[in-house]
Amino acid sequence: MTAKKTSIEPKKTPIELLSPARDLIVGKAAIDAGADAVYIGAPLFSARQAAGNSIADIKELCRYAHIFSCRVLVALNTLLTDEERREAVSIAWQLYKAGADALIIQDLNLLGEDLPPIRLHASTQCDNRTAEDVIMRRQQGFRRAVLARELTIEEIRRIRERLGERGDMELEAFIHGALCVSYSGRCYLSEHVLGTKHSANRGSCAQLCRWQYDLLDKDKNLLTGGQYPLSLRDLDRSRSVREMLDAGITTLKIEGRLKDAAYVRNITAYYRLLLDRLFAEPDSHYCRASKGSIYLDFTPNPEKTFHRSQTDYFLHGRTPDLANWQTPKSTGEYIGEVTSVGKNCIEIQTDIALHNGDGLCFGDKGFLVNRVEGNRVYPNQMPQIKAGTQLYRNYDIEFMRQVEHSKTSRRLPVDILFQDTDCGFMLRIGDTEQEFAAEKTPADNPQKALQNIRNCLTKLGDTPFEAASITVNLSQPCFIPASMLNSWRRQVVESAMSKDLRQLRDERIKSKDRCADRVKTDDSLNPCSESVSPDSSNLMTCRYCILFETGLCRKTRKQTDIREPAYLRNGNTLLRLNFDCANCRMTITDAVT
């Protein structure tokens, strides 16, 4: 007898779309819009000091996320003093008990503490920029490294190849959002200029990179004035998702832990749709990392919420126009050119419908639209503008109303089974079931009784579930009061919603031994921010270079018009620029105020 050939479908790699959560409300909005995981700030010691959250809120977010097999990652990623480290360990245990799936940390000294048996992710603040860096993180007990934003596709691929195919070290990369001009974790400028209360490594960066500067040469001669040479455009790698996944990235991260629910909902939904289309392709090797059906009631568009124009940064090598020298603000979508300017109106050549209440901008100036008549716009206050000016819309009032009032939701399809038992009835919703003791009263109207049972048990509208099917197996149709059926349904749903959290806790207890290989460290391994000398010879290290941006790169020109050292000046603050052309890096090595 000839054996029948069977084909085994290759296992697909789960890909995680990771969204920011400023708070519980934004976290739930991200999950509803399609995030496979969210990252949220701990009560203290996160790299966004203004985005701390209570243990109770994080617990509630975990409870909601785990229904859809989504993860909650908690940022505990500032550098810490000895006293703070003890408090951070206490917080880590509270987060573990609340159901958090992983901690994102920067301070390596925490590895020597009595941490709970929970996954650790090496924050991008650890400056994970080489294969050696990431291999060291794995040896230290991390299970994921958040890669430096500056890496190219080829550099990412080489890191994955050096790590091998072992599944004990995941690679996470940013795909969208604001960019730091410095390598993350290697910027001390804010602290040096404004004091330790504004340390980037302590969660209080004052964003000096978004300041307005004059560019000066060696003799302090003005080269350009009143611009924003350090203000990078926003990251947008939506056209390179497949490349990133093929290079070894398994988590795509959206930046924005200070962003509101509208922004997070819009950007998350945009990437959810993009990824799902990619996963549906016949030759795709990837799949979603979470469960649930997403129901959107708007069309996502990344240009409609905060958007400084886009760059893929260094993903495909060094390219021009990484920064927007004209403004550090949101520019939004390009709408057209000013054709004429009247006493109280502006005429625009555009095919885009504008609305009363829209926000328009040019450079770092802007105005609100008070009235629209065809292509003629009446501002609430006339700006100083001339014909030929390019205009952008950075606030689309109609779109924002849609997103802010969106009923976007996520539902987990479940099969429902209802049948009688020796002592009463059994109700199963998904893989959660419960038996209820009750009398079996034969129904006077069997058809109506069965329909009543179906109607009551499929009323899941106020829960995260939706009925994919319902099966009623009864030896005889029974009359059961609707109030009793509704009560049973609520009990099983509540049990189902808390089941995943209990299972995850059990799994973490079993995995405790797998966390025992964390390297014990000493206090010299990763000094906290206060120990960095205010006379540090390297206040900022950038792959971004002003010489290249201005067309004066020494590798493409034999001479440069900038005599070094060059300077950036803002009021009384003078920043000294140095260009390490051999390594294609720019540094700020001094700041005088």
Side-chain angles (χ1 to χ4, degrees):
M1 182 176 178
T2 304
K4 185 178 180 181
K5 292 183 179 180
T6 58
S7 60
I8 300 176
E9 187 175 338
K11 185 177 180 181
K12 294 190 175 184
T13 302
I15 300 301
E16 184 178 82
L17 176 60
L18 177 59
S19 295
R22 182 176 70 183
D23 51 33
L24 173 61
I25 292 173
V26 177
K28 287 186 173 182
I31 292 167
D32 286 345
D36 299 301
V38 294
Y39 62 105
I40 188 169
L44 296 170
F45 313 130
S46 80
R48 296 290 186 275
Q49 196 175 78
N53 292 274
S54 70
I55 297 294
D57 279 357
I58 293 173
K59 182 176 181 179
E60 174 58 26
L61 182 59
C62 292
R63 183 172 181 266
Y64 187 72
H66 293 158
I67 294 167
F68 306 103
S69 298
C70 295
R71 293 181 176 182
V72 176
L73 319 180
V74 183
L76 199 67
N77 59 337
T78 62
L79 295 180
L80 305 164
T81 64
D82 290 342
E83 183 176 341
E84 288 172 340
R85 205 180 307 154
R86 288 189 288 272
E87 188 173 3
V89 171
S90 174
I91 291 173
W93 277 98
Q94 294 175 60
L95 293 169
Y96 169 70
K97 293 174 183 177
D101 298 285
L103 300 179
I104 307 168
I105 69 171
Q106 176 188 9
D107 197 324
L108 302 182
N109 291 313
L110 278 172
L111 301 178
E113 302 292 338
D114 181 27
L115 292 175
I118 190 172
R119 285 172 56 97
L120 297 183
H121 295 178
S123 171
T124 190
Q125 295 294 113
C126 291
D127 191 21
N128 304 309
R129 125 177 48 150
T130 68
E132 289 73 23
D133 292 333
V134 178
I135 289 170
M136 182 182 297
R137 300 293 172 250
R138 181 170 67 184
Q139 293 170 345
Q140 291 165 338
F142 288 98
R143 293 296 173 258
R144 180 185 296 179
V146 186
L147 297 180
R149 294 170 172 89
E150 291 80 0
L151 297 184
T152 67
I153 281 287
E154 288 306 314
E155 287 169 333
I156 293 170
R157 183 176 289 111
R158 286 199 293 271
I159 290 174
R160 183 68 267 171
E161 289 172 352
R162 286 282 305 278
L163 286 169
E165 296 301 322
R166 293 169 57 186
D168 59 354
M169 191 59 174
E170 301 166 355
L171 297 181
E172 177 181 311
F174 284 91
I175 193 170
H176 199 97
L179 287 165
C180 295
V181 71
S182 171
Y183 282 105
S184 294
R186 296 295 177 265
C187 181
Y188 311 100
L189 186 60
S190 176
E191 175 184 4
H192 181 78
V193 173
L194 300 175
T196 57
K197 290 184 178 180
H198 295 279
S199 165
N201 285 312
R202 304 267 293 154
S204 301
C205 180
Q207 296 190 350
L208 273 69
C209 55
R210 305 293 181 188
W211 286 11
Q212 191 177 61
Y213 293 99
D214 298 327
L215 177 62
L216 313 176
D217 68 7
K218 178 179 180 180
D219 299 321
K220 312 296 193 304
N221 295 313
L222 181 67
L223 299 174
T224 63
Q227 294 184 299
Y228 302 88
L230 297 179
S231 182
L232 297 183
R233 300 173 187 268
D234 281 358
L235 189 66
D236 182 340
R237 291 172 169 170
S238 56
R239 297 180 181 178
S240 304
V241 170
R242 182 188 287 275
E243 281 184 279
M244 295 178 70
L245 302 186
D246 289 347
I249 299 300
T250 53
T251 293
L252 301 170
K253 184 173 190 174
I254 298 168
E255 183 277 339
R257 254 193 318 121
L258 295 180
K259 294 293 196 297
D260 61 18
Y263 176 90
V264 172
R265 183 181 290 122
N266 179 37
I267 303 302
T268 300
Y270 175 74
Y271 281 96
R272 179 74 276 152
L273 293 177
L274 188 156
L275 285 169
D276 286 349
R277 285 195 296 268
L278 189 154
F279 298 161
E281 293 176 2
D283 61 342
S284 175
H285 304 298
Y286 310 106
C287 63
R288 284 176 58 179
S290 63
K291 304 173 183 176
S293 302
I294 312 299
Y295 296 97
L296 294 177
D297 57 3
F298 69 97
T299 301
N301 184 339
E303 291 187 336
K304 298 284 192 177
T305 43
F306 194 95
H307 179 74
R308 292 190 183 96
S309 68
Q310 68 276 350
T311 175
D312 70 358
Y313 209 27
F314 290 92
L315 196 66
H316 297 103
R318 188 178 293 275
T319 56
D321 299 324
L322 297 183
N324 185 343
W325 288 44
Q326 304 306 311
T327 178
K329 302 174 184 176
S330 173
T331 53
E333 59 183 329
Y334 176 69
I335 62 164
E337 190 173 289
V338 175
T339 56
S340 65
V341 179
K343 182 179 180 180
N344 61 350
C345 67
I346 301 167
E347 193 158 319
I348 306 168
Q349 183 178 349
T350 181
D351 296 325
I352 295 175
L354 300 175
H355 319 107
N356 300 348
D358 280 354
L360 305 185
C361 66
F362 56 102
D364 61 352
K365 300 177 176 62
F367 58 91
L368 290 177
V369 175
N370 196 43
R371 189 169 85 254
V372 179
E373 294 180 0
N375 283 4
R376 189 171 292 172
V377 167
Y378 293 81
N380 66 329
Q381 187 173 351
M382 275 298 290
Q384 293 293 321
I385 195 170
K386 59 184 180 180
T389 300
Q390 293 186 327
L391 275 178
Y392 294 79
R393 177 165 60 182
N394 58 6
Y395 186 78
D396 183 339
I397 190 169
E398 293 299 325
F399 180 83
M400 292 305 297
R401 282 172 178 163
Q402 288 180 40
V403 180
E404 288 172 352
H405 297 94
S406 169
K407 301 300 181 183
T408 290
S409 62
R410 186 169 186 158
R411 293 288 183 265
L412 188 65
V414 289
D415 295 316
I416 298 175
L417 172 63
F418 184 73
Q419 63 186 30
D420 49 11
T421 64
D422 292 341
C423 300
F425 302 92
M426 185 276 288
L427 174 60
R428 178 187 299 157
I429 298 179
D431 59 358
T432 303
E433 65 179 53
Q434 194 168 340
E435 291 191 15
F436 301 94
E439 292 185 9
K440 300 175 183 178
T441 305
D444 294 335
N445 186 333
Q447 187 174 355
K448 184 177 180 180
L450 289 174
Q451 189 59 47
N452 179 59
I453 292 171
R454 289 176 177 274
N455 290 344
C456 289
L457 298 184
T458 55
K459 286 182 180 178
L460 299 170
D462 59 346
T463 77
F465 304 108
E466 63 179 359
S469 68
I470 180 167
T471 303
V472 179
N473 288 332
L474 298 177
S475 55
Q476 63 174 346
C478 297
F479 168 75
I480 307 173
S483 59
M484 185 176 292
L485 288 167
N486 290 334
S487 175
W488 292 349
R489 184 197 68 237
R490 285 191 291 267
Q491 291 180 56
V492 178
V493 165
E494 182 66 26
S495 180
M497 290 176 65
S498 59
K499 184 176 181 180
D500 281 344
L501 184 56
R502 293 196 303 271
Q503 288 179 334
L504 284 166
R505 286 175 178 169
D506 292 342
E507 290 172 5
R508 291 191 186 116
I509 292 171
K510 294 176 184 177
S511 69
K512 187 171 184 179
D513 290 340
R514 294 202 297 271
C515 303
D517 57 348
R518 292 177 186 160
V519 173
K520 297 297 180 181
T521 65
D522 56 55
D523 291 342
S524 65
L525 181 61
N526 193 13
C528 78
S529 182
E530 282 83 357
S531 67
V532 176
S533 169
D535 298 321
S536 172
S537 60
N538 193 347
L539 297 174
M540 181 187 282
T541 303
C542 313
R543 199 167 194 173
Y544 166 81
C545 179
I546 285 177
L547 284 184
F548 186 88
E549 283 284 294
T550 52
L552 300 175
C553 174
R554 291 198 188 95
K555 292 189 175 183
T556 57
R557 290 173 58 117
K558 292 183 179 179
Q559 294 183 342
T560 175
D561 296 335
I562 297 182
R563 294 198 299 152
E564 291 181 56
Y567 296 90
L568 292 177
R569 180 180 63 196
N570 176 288
N572 295 325
T573 299
L574 196 64
L575 311 180
R576 174 171 170 162
L577 303 178
N578 294 272
F579 304 102
D580 178 4
C581 295
N583 295 301
C584 280
R585 285 199 295 259
M586 180 183 76
T587 60
I588 293 177
T589 56
D590 195 14
V592 180
T593 301

